[in-house]
Amino acid sequence: MEHQNAVKEALNALYHHPDDTVRAQADQWLQNFQGTLDAWQVADNLLHDSSSNMETLIFCSQTLRSKVQRDFEELPPGAFQKLRESLTTLLKKFHKGPPKVRTQISIAVAALAVHVPAADWGDGGIVSWLRDEMNLHPEYVPGFLELLAVLPEETFNYKIAARPDRRRQFEKELTSQMEAALSILTACLNIIELKEQVLQAFASWLHLRHGIPGAVLACHPLVHAALSSLNCDPLSDASVNVISELIHHTASPSSGGISAQTPLIQVIVPQILSLKAHLRDSSKDEEDVKSIGRLFADVGDSYVELIATGSDESMVIVHALLEVTSHPEFDIASMTFNFWHSLQLTLTKRDSYVSLGSEASIEAERNRRQHIFRSAYESLVSLVGFRVQYPEDYQGLSYEDLKEFKQTRYAVADVLIDAALILGGDTTLKILYMKLLEANAQTGNDFQDWRPAEAILFCIWAISNYVSVVEAEVMPQVMALLQNLPQQAQLLQTACLLVGAYSKWLNAAPASVSILPSIIRILMSGMGTSEDCAAAAALAFRHICDDCRKNLCGYFEDLFTIYCMAINGGGGYKVSAEDSLNLVEALGMVVTELPLDQAKSALEKLCFSAASPLEEAAKEDLDKKHARELTIHIDRFAFLFRYVNHPEAVAAQIDKHWAIFRVIFDARPWDMRTMESLCRACKYAVRTSGRYIINTIGEMLAKIQFHYQQHHQPCFLYLSSEVIKIFGSDPSCADYLKNLIETLFAHTTCLMTSIKEVTARPDIADDCFLLASRCLRYCPHIFIPSPIFSPLVDCAMIGITVQHREACHSILTFLSDIFDLEKSVNEEQFVRIRDSVIIPRGATITRILIASLAGALPSSRLDTVTYALLALTRTYGLQAVGWAKESVSLIPRTAVTETESTKFLQALSDVAYGADVNSLIGHVEELSDVCRRNRTVQELVQAALKPLELNLVAPVS
C-alpha cells in the first residue's frame, strides 16, 4: 500500500505540480520504480483497484506491459498461471476501454505468449485458449479481438526479452494456428459493429506472410469483406490495410510467390483498378484518395517484374499509376516514385533477362520492353516537371517549408534520372527544352515570371549526367538562352548550377573556346547576386576549371583576377570564405595543366595571396587573433597543395612559406582549429610533394613531436600518418620516424591508462590507432621491434569498449591488423614478436571482445568486433577457441544456457579449422541477442566478463 500511494503521489506531481523541477523528479522516480521487482504487484493492484484514475491506469498498464516484455524472467517458475489469470481479468475489465489501457494489457498478454510455450496455454496454444474464452464470455469479444490483432505483431517485437530460439518457435506456433485465428475472425464478421476491428486483426495476421494458397484466400469471406468495404464512403482504413497486406502477401516468396497466388491477384487487382475514377473526384476526401493511391503504389511495387513484361494487362496498371503521379497533391503523386525507379531498374538491369540465354535474345527483349514503356516515361517527364516550380509566395516560406520544397525538388530529380535511363538523356533533354520554350512563350519571352523557366532549368540540371557530351541540337540553345536571363537570384543560381553540371559538355563542344568567356561572365554575375547564388557560381567555376582546364590554360591571369576579386570581396562579389575554397581548387586544377615553369610561377602568385594576410597577422599578436582569421588563409594553402599536381612546385612553396607555418605552429599550438588547419595544409604538401619535401620534413616532424607532448592535439597524429605513408619505407628516414612514433605513442599511452581517459580523449584514440595501423603497413620494420609496440597493444585493450564510434573502430581495426599481420608482412621475425605480445594477452583480449559482443559495445559495432574475433581465431586456431571457452564459462547459465554457449564455441571452432566465416556471424548475433535481451541479463553478463579489468583470472573449468 505504501508503494501504491507513492506511485499515485508521483503521478499527481508529474501531471499537476506547477514546478518543472518537481515534475522532472517525479518522472525520474517513476522510471526507476518501473525497473523494480515491486512494480509487478503495485501495477497489478492499481489496475484492479476501481478507484484508480486515468493517469494511474495508463501508467500501470504501460508498466505491466513493459515488465512482461522485458523482465518476465524475474518471476518465479510457477508465476505464469496467476499472471495470465490477472491479465485476462484486466482484459475483461477494460473490454470497453479506455482504449489505451486495453491495448497495453493486450500487448502484455501477447508478450506473455512469446515467453511461454504453446503447450502451457493448452491444446492449440494461445489462439485456441482465446477462442474458448470468447465462447465462454461473448460480452468481452472486443477486448479479445484486440489481443488477437496484436499477437502476430509481437512476433517481430524485439523489445520482448525472449531468447532467439523461443522467438522462432513462437512464430512457428502462430503460423500453425493461423487457420484457427481466421476462423475466429470470420465468425466475428457477423457482428456489424466489430467489422473494422475484425479486418484490422486480419491484416495483422496476413503480415506473418504464411503461405495460404491463393485459391483459398480468393474466396475467403474475410477477403471479400475487405474488398466490399473499398466501396464505402468514407473508405475503410482497415479494408485498405487488408488489401495492402494481401498484395504484399501475394508477392512474398514465403507464400509461394506470384505464380502460386494468381487466383487471389485476379480477384484483387481489378477491384483496385475500379477505384481509378476516384483519383479525379474532387468531392472525394483527401485521406481516401491517399489510401487509393497507396493501393495503386503497392500494386506497382509488388508486381513490378510482372508489369515489366509489357503485357496489355500490365499497361493498364501503368496508366493507372500515371494517373496517381498526375495528382496535384505531391504526397499522393510521390507514392508512385519508387515504382518508376524499380521499373527502370527492372527494364535496364541484365539480371532481368538472363533466363533468355544468348546476348542477342537479351538485347532484343530489353529493347522491346523499353520501347513499350517509352511513352509512359515521356508522360512521366511532363507530369513531374511542374512540381519543382517555386511557389508564388516563396519569399514567405518558413525554414521547414523551404526544406520540404527542396526535398520535393530532389525527389523529382531522381524520377527524371529514371526517365533519362529509359529514354536516353538526349531525348529527355528535348522534352524538357520543348517545355522551356512553352514556358517562355506563355510569359512573353521576357521572363516576367521567372519561375516556370527556372523549374525547367532545374530539371535539365538534374539529368546532366545522362546527356551525351556530343549533344549538338538542344544544349547550344540552352547555353545561349542562359546569357539572356534576368538578374533574378533563384533563376541565376539554377543557371550557375546547370553550367557547372554541363562542364564536360562545354569542354567537348566544338565552339568551347568561344563559349567559355560568356559562361564565365554568367558565373561572375552569380557571384555578385546573393550568397546562395555565389556559392553555386563558385561550385560551377570549380567544375568548369576541372573539365575545361586545357582550354583555360591560356586564361590563367584572367581567372586569377576573378579569384582575387572574389576572395577580397571586390566588384560586389558575395563569395563566402568556405565557398572561396572552390575557387582555390578550380585554379589549382588549371595550374596542374600548365608546364612546370609556368605552374611554379602561377602557384607562387596563388600562395603569395594566401601567405600575405598571415604574414600581416604575424606582425601583430597572433595569440589574440580569432582562429577563423587565420584558418581561411591556411585552408587555401591546403587546397593549393592538394590540387596542384606538380610535386616540385608544391615542395618549393612549402619550403618558401615554411617560415610563416613555423611561426603559427609556435604561436598557437594550444588552438585546435588553427592546428587542424595547419596540419591539413602540411598533410597535402607531404602527399603531393612526396620526397621533394625532404628539406622541410625534418623540422616539421620536430614541431609535431615537441608540441604534441605539450598540447596533445590529435591533428599532429594524423599528419604523422601521412608522413609514415610517404616516408615509411625510406631507409634514410628510419631514425627520424623511429623517434617520431616512439615519442608520439609513448606520450599517448601515458595519457590513456583507463577507459575513462580514452573516453575523455576519443579523437586522440582515433588518430593514434589509425597511425598505428599505418605503421604496421608502411614501416613494420621500425614499429614492431620498437619497445612501444607492447604498451600500445595494452593501451588498445584498455580502449576496446570506448563508446565513441570512430575511436572504437580504429582500436579494433589496429588489433585486427596485428592478428592479420601475415597478410601484409610475411617476415618470421615480426610474426614471432607479434606472438610474444599477443599470446600472453590472448585470453584477456578474447574476454573483452566477447564482452563487447555481449553488450559492452552497441550492437551497431557487432561487425567490427566480430571481425577482430574472427581474425584472432584464424591466426591462433584452437588456442583462441580455448580462450573463448574460458570467457564464456564465466557467464552464468541463467543468462546464457549450455546449448547457446556450445553453439557459439562450435562455430568458432569451425572457423579455426577453416570453415566459412558466414557460419560464425549468425551465432555471434544470436549470442549477442541472448546477452542483450534485457537490462538485467546484460548487467549480469558484463559483471561476469568484467571487460574493464585486464588481469582477471578465469576459473579453472
Side-chain angles (χ1 to χ4, degrees), residues 102-146:
R102 186 180 67 195
T103 298
Q104 296 299 313
I105 301 299
S106 297
I107 294 172
V109 179
L112 186 62
V114 178
H115 288 296
V116 180
D120 290 7
W121 294 84
D123 290 342
I126 187 172
V127 174
S128 294
W129 172 85
L130 192 53
R131 181 192 59 210
D132 294 342
E133 287 288 327
M134 293 170 87
N135 287 335
L136 285 170
H137 306 285
E139 67 275 22
Y140 301 129
V141 164
F144 289 128
L145 264 182
E146 180 155 12

Side-chain angles (χ1 to χ4, degrees), residues 25 70 98 133 311 372 444 624 629 636 759 831 846 918 948:
Q25 289 171 345
R70 305 297 296 173
E133 287 288 327
S311 66
I372 289 172
K624 295 180 180 177
E629 295 178 62
R636 287 171 185 157
T759 302
V831 172
T846 306
N918 291 326
L948 302 184

Side-chain angles (χ1 to χ4, degrees), residues 294-419:
R294 171 190 161 194
L295 291 178
F296 278 109
D298 282 343
V299 167
D301 291 339
S302 299
Y303 306 142
V304 66
E305 291 188 3
L306 206 60
I307 293 168
T309 60
S311 66
D312 292 343
E313 294 86 352
S314 67
M315 295 312 294
V316 174
I317 297 172
V318 169
H319 291 134
L321 285 162
L322 281 171
E323 192 81 33
V324 180
T325 308
S326 70
H327 196 277
E329 285 296 325
F330 181 75
D331 287 348
I332 295 171
S334 61
M335 290 177 180
T336 64
F337 287 5
N338 187 64
F339 164 74
W340 298 116
H341 177 64
S342 300
L343 180 60
Q344 174 268 119
L345 289 176
T346 308
L347 292 171
T348 55
K349 69 181 181 183
R350 193 176 183 280
D351 293 352
S352 304
Y353 307 95
V354 287
S355 61
L356 296 173
S358 70
E359 287 298 325
S361 300
I362 288 173
E363 194 60 28
E365 179 61 11
R366 183 191 280 127
N367 291 337
R368 183 192 73 82
R369 291 189 184 186
Q370 291 189 16
H371 178 74
I372 289 172
F373 288 97
R374 284 186 73 83
S375 63
Y377 276 94
E378 286 171 358
S379 299
L380 184 64
V381 173
S382 299
L383 288 174
V384 298
F386 78 94
R387 298 187 186 278
V388 303
Q389 184 171 309
Y390 273 91
E392 288 187 25
D393 62 343
Y394 74 95
Q395 289 179 317
L397 291 178
S398 66
Y399 173 79
E400 287 302 321
D401 287 341
L402 192 57
K403 183 178 175 183
E404 186 177 333
F405 175 63
K406 287 180 179 178
Q407 289 170 344
T408 297
R409 281 164 73 100
Y410 288 122
V412 169
D414 288 340
V415 176
L416 291 168
I417 289 170
D418 290 322

Side-chain angles (χ1 to χ4, degrees), residues 76 178 194 220 289 345 353 375 384 396 479 499 683 697 800 866 904 921:
M178 179 174 270
L194 294 181
H220 200 286
V289 177
L345 289 176
Y353 307 95
S375 63
V384 298
M479 289 296 174
V499 163
K683 178 181 78 170
I697 196 69
I800 288 174
T866 301
F904 170 72
I921 294 170

